[in-house]
Amino acid sequence: MRSHHSHAGTVLAVVHEPLGTGAWPTLVFELCEPARADAEAIAARVAGRHRAYDVELDAAPDAGDCGRHLLRLTPRGAGGPGGPLTDELLADLLAPLASETLPVTGHQRALLEAAVGGRGGPGRFVEQLFWDWTGPLDLGRFTAAWQSVAEREAVLRTSFDWTGAARLVLHDRTAVDVVRHEPAGAGWSELLRQDRARGFELYRPSLLRVSLLDGAPDTSGAGRPPTRLLVTYHRALLDERGARLLLRQFYRSYLAGGTLPGADRRPDIRDQAEWLARQDLSGAREFWSAAAPPAHAAVSPGRPGGPPRRSEGPGRIQRRLRPAHTSRLRSWAAGRGAGESSALHVVWALLLYRAAGAEGPLPVAFGVHLSGRDMSPRAAADIPGLLGNPLPMAVTVDPAAPLVDLLLQVRDAALDLTPYAWVSGDRVREWGGREPGADLVETTVRFDTHPELPENLRAELAAQGIRVGVPQSAGGDTTLPVMLVAHHDADGSLVLTALYDRGRFTDTDASGMLAQCLHLLRGLPEHTAGHATVADVLRLLSGSEVPTMTPAEPAGSRLAQTVLRAGEPEADVVCLVTVPGVTPGAYDTLLRDHEGPERIVELGVPGRQVPPALDPPAELVHGGRRLTLCGVGPAGRAAHDLARRVAERTGEAPAVVMTGVGGAAESAQALSRGLRAVRARST
């Protein structure tokens, strides 16, 4: 195998010739043109993390400082693992040669996969906070303050690598993008839209940027107009609480002249990763083997119906429960030994039950988003990052049962989840006996609490003539059909935001669903009698229609082959394998820039791995030409799997060129290096 890496903008590439499944001898990877020091760093990383192998690095006598390196992995003993290329090994071969990498959390992995492999463009899962700044604003000091925060907060120097096993990559330095817009330019709504659509290149730090929009010049003499500030960040890296914590650090830096004292602030995401690695799984396994939602639980917020929606991307609708109604709801729940969030969970359970069309008792299940900041390491509440995790909660709705019983049931179920806020959805599926990838829930309820700006910071800002507003959230996204987000406004209102997939829900159905939710929340405090039943509350919706939800489109189950370049007669075949998460434009760039007589085809694979029942196309198996399979990033694993199947059927091992994750141009250049290496072998 071959690999190239390390320097800014460079993507590693490796060449490998896998055998079929019958034997697992030494694995040989050709590293494509790295400097000797980089090749040694790759070998050391693999040796340190894969101790089941003996690792050797060889170089040809004439390799020089930047030439041909062979990395040999020999299984230790006859019982060694050998053979299959695991996601972990692929990641360690091709990950950037950064100072440190961390595993992603289960929820983070789901967001990352949806962001890099889903539809909707680069603006998916981009979050925004905005507020007004009134008073003097020194742009140089402002920019320096954000840069100082990045130098002390590891999360701002972090990017993602999803070549194999998904990783966080920690960089030594990054630059926070700060842009000031003149009032004569784009309006505020257009700025929000453009900034969201811009998205992020997730393989590069920093995944947070700041925009400033100056107010229109004041001609009345009333004073300086406020500046609107916008912080845009990626949801896979930060939750809203984490973004607000970074904002607090920025204020401290600005007040200190643009520089924070000291080195990295700890604890941070590294300490969180260490804490997760130390957790004992036995108790969590025992809990989830009983608590995972049953397969027959009602999970859909709408009845099946309607044709496939043409609209794509997230929808967002927000409604408020007025302060008086919010206070009544809180008092009603507290009088029965529960919190306001439990009342919201009751209402959501009722909506799922009603959508199922059931008449008797029925389990329902939905996700409950836990902060992850109360069970984590010391001072976890102040760690910027993505510590939260949605966990499935199952309760039984019985129309004949007392309403208070359902309230206490959801309260207790949520409390039972709290010690296991760190458990990933994949483990819940496994321990609950569900199939890998099965949907445990289709909705999630999240109750946000926002850290307030400390009074001492507000006073210090005021002493410099600066007033800052309370940040507000704009936009939002979800990997599920529906997410319900709740928080309290400054006036005490309970604010509910429905984030939904417009490919599954119409705006009208989503609005109706949220209206029914508010109607039930207003109605709960009316049921003060101890004998009130669940059916009594459900009757509040007797005149409302149940929303409909379009079924999800089935995942593809076939390999799709396209000829991109016919090539010369009897020329070799280059097969570009594509899976969700391949860098857009990488193969187009290779097709444009790569010179050679080869026939070039593209093979679309429905997932990151080739399903066992799918055979390679006949042209790849019986074409009679030399075959090279290529995969950018996560497609490397699929290309390797296909090459093994071809080797099984033909007895000849085709070459595989695999690269790390990077931009389109860098990825295409890495593939070209690998293809040149394959060509050099046979000449």
Side-chain angles (χ1 to χ4, degrees):
M1 219 181 253
R2 244 191 192 187
S3 169
H4 180 39
H5 186 76
S6 94
H7 305 296
T10 301
V11 175
L12 286 165
V14 298
V15 177
H16 179 53
E17 294 179 355
L19 299 179
T21 58
W24 305 122
T26 297
L27 299 175
V28 180
F29 303 102
E30 185 177 350
L31 311 180
C32 296
E33 303 175 11
R36 177 69 187 185
D38 288 348
E40 290 173 348
I42 295 168
R45 179 169 62 194
V46 171
R49 295 182 176 176
H50 301 270
R51 299 186 181 277
Y53 294 98
D54 288 321
V55 178
E56 299 177 87
L57 182 68
D58 299 328
D62 57 349
D65 183 57
C66 200
R68 179 170 173 262
H69 300 279
L70 297 180
L71 186 66
R72 303 178 187 275
L73 277 63
T74 304
R76 294 180 175 177
L85 182 65
T86 65
D87 286 341
E88 290 75 16
L89 179 54
L90 183 62
D92 289 325
L93 284 165
L94 293 170
L97 291 176
S99 57
E100 191 173 1
T101 61
L102 301 173
V104 300
T105 64
H107 181 44
Q108 202 167 41
R109 181 171 57 253
L111 287 170
L112 177 63
E113 290 177 355
V116 302
R119 298 173 297 178
R124 295 296 307 270
F125 308 103
V126 171
E127 304 281 353
Q128 296 172 306
L129 287 176
F130 67 92
W131 69 101
D132 286 340
W133 173 299
T134 304
L137 193 157
D138 183 327
L139 183 60
R141 180 175 161 195
F142 186 97
T143 303
W146 274 111
Q147 189 61 39
S148 182
V149 173
E151 291 169 0
R152 283 152 184 80
E153 296 287 354
V155 70
L156 286 183
R157 305 193 304 273
T158 298
S159 64
F160 288 98
D161 176 59
W162 58 95
T163 300
R167 305 268 177 86
L168 287 167
V169 182
L170 276 62
H171 301 258
D172 292 333
R173 284 189 57 81
T174 190
V176 177
D177 190 10
V178 177
V179 178
R180 191 168 199 166
H181 299 268
E182 298 295 331
W188 174 244
S189 297
E190 182 62 14
L191 177 61
L192 279 175
R193 187 195 67 78
Q194 290 180 0
D195 194 65
R196 174 181 294 278
R198 178 181 164 191
F200 290 96
E201 294 177 321
L202 296 180
Y203 52 85
R204 289 184 177 139
S206 148
L207 301 181
L208 176 146
R209 58 177 173 265
V210 185
S211 301
L212 303 87
L213 180 62
D214 289 327
D218 180 28
T219 58
S220 67
R224 184 194 305 267
T227 298
R228 177 65 56 88
L229 302 184
L230 174 66
V231 169
T232 302
Y233 59 96
H234 203 278
R235 179 71 186 182
L237 184 72
L238 283 169
D239 55 21
E240 186 174 335
R241 182 181 182 89
R244 289 172 181 261
L245 290 171
L246 291 175
L247 178 58
R248 182 186 298 180
Q249 292 295 90
F250 156 74
Y251 284 139
R252 291 192 174 111
S253 183
Y254 188 88
L255 290 168
T259 303
L260 283 170
D264 277 3
R265 190 190 58 79
R266 303 297 287 264
D268 63 12
I269 54 175
R270 291 167 288 191
D271 302 284
Q272 171 70 4
E274 291 176 3
W275 182 86
L276 286 172
R278 294 196 303 267
Q279 297 313 296
D280 181 7
L281 302 183
S282 56
R285 183 185 294 107
E286 181 179 357
F287 172 80
W288 283 113
S289 64
H296 66 286
V299 297
S300 175
R303 290 178 179 165
R309 316 289 189 195
R310 293 186 177 181
S311 299
E312 291 186 3
R316 184 178 189 268
I317 297 176
Q318 190 172 85
R319 300 286 186 270
R320 281 174 167 77
L321 191 66
R322 295 183 182 277
H325 289 114
T326 300
S327 179
R328 289 184 64 207
L329 179 68
R330 186 182 301 118
S331 298
W332 176 85
R336 287 149 185 79
E340 196 175 4
S341 61
S342 294
L344 183 59
H345 293 158
V346 164
V347 165
W348 201 250
L350 293 178
L351 291 175
L352 297 180
Y353 177 86
R354 186 167 178 263
E359 294 184 358
L362 180 71
V364 304
F366 55 95
V368 176
H369 199 282
L370 302 180
S371 72
R373 297 177 186 275
D374 49 359
M375 295 298 295
S376 297
R378 176 184 57 84
D382 293 329
I383 295 179
L386 187 70
L387 277 65
N389 190 35
L391 289 175
M393 183 171 80
V395 296
T396 297
V397 177
D398 182 356
L403 175 61
V404 67
D405 287 0
L406 181 59
L407 178 69
L408 299 180
Q409 187 186 168
V410 298
R411 179 202 66 181
D412 293 345
L415 289 173
D416 289 343
L417 296 181
T418 303
Y420 308 107
W422 50 273
V423 177
S424 69
D426 290 342
R427 280 178 167 159
V428 174
R429 290 184 191 90
E430 177 188 349
W431 296 337
R434 303 288 292 275
E435 292 294 323
D439 291 330
L440 297 174
V441 297
E442 291 191 355
T443 66
T444 290
V445 177
R446 193 177 86 213
F447 211 116
D448 286 345
T449 57
H450 299 147
E452 296 185 359
L453 187 64
E455 282 300 322
N456 65 320
L457 282 182
R458 194 174 293 279
E460 289 182 52
L461 288 166
Q464 296 190 19
I466 301 169
R467 298 195 314 275
V468 292
V470 177
Q472 301 179 57
S473 176
D477 211 336
T478 173
T479 59
L480 297 173
V482 178
M483 175 184 286
L484 182 69
V485 182
H487 75 275
H488 288 111
D489 214 345
D491 65 357
S493 299
L494 180 64
V495 182
L496 299 181
T497 304
L499 306 173
Y500 55 96
D501 180 354
R502 297 179 70 237
R504 307 286 303 280
F505 262 93
T506 65
D507 296 339
T508 300
D509 280 329
S511 180
M513 177 185 59
L514 191 56
Q516 292 174 20
C517 181
L518 282 169
H519 187 54
L520 290 178
L521 289 172
R522 294 189 195 99
L524 283 181
E526 303 295 335
H527 294 80
T528 56
H531 60 270
T533 66
V534 170
D536 293 331
V537 181
L538 285 170
R539 275 192 285 272
L540 293 174
L541 299 179
S542 57
S544 303
E545 292 195 12
V546 176
T548 60
M549 188 173 78
T550 299
E553 294 183 10
S557 59
R558 300 179 61 185
L559 302 176
Q561 182 176 330
T562 305
V563 177
L564 303 179
R565 181 190 296 173
E568 297 180 5
E570 307 304 320
D572 297 340
V573 176
V574 172
C575 179
L576 307 177
V577 179
T578 183
V579 302
V582 168
T583 303
Y587 293 152
D588 293 336
T589 304
L590 178 75
L591 190 66
R592 183 193 68 212
D593 296 343
H594 181 69
E595 297 180 358
E598 297 98 338
R599 176 181 177 84
I600 300 180
V601 301
E602 184 175 22
L603 191 65
V605 178
R608 287 189 55 153
Q609 297 185 15
V610 183
L614 294 185
D615 290 326
E619 180 183 16
L620 303 187
V621 180
H622 306 295
R625 306 175 180 184
R626 187 179 62 179
L627 172 66
T628 302
L629 293 108
C630 299
V632 165
R637 172 70 182 273
H640 182 271
D641 290 346
L642 284 167
R644 284 176 49 211
R645 296 187 193 182
V646 171
E648 272 190 308
R649 289 159 176 74
T650 65
E652 297 182 4
V656 182
V657 179
M658 297 176 278
T659 81
V661 170
E666 297 91 343
S667 298
Q669 290 166 6
L671 285 180
S672 289
R673 289 193 297 271
L675 289 172
R676 289 196 299 269
V678 172
R679 189 185 302 166
R681 290 178 171 190
S682 59
T683 57

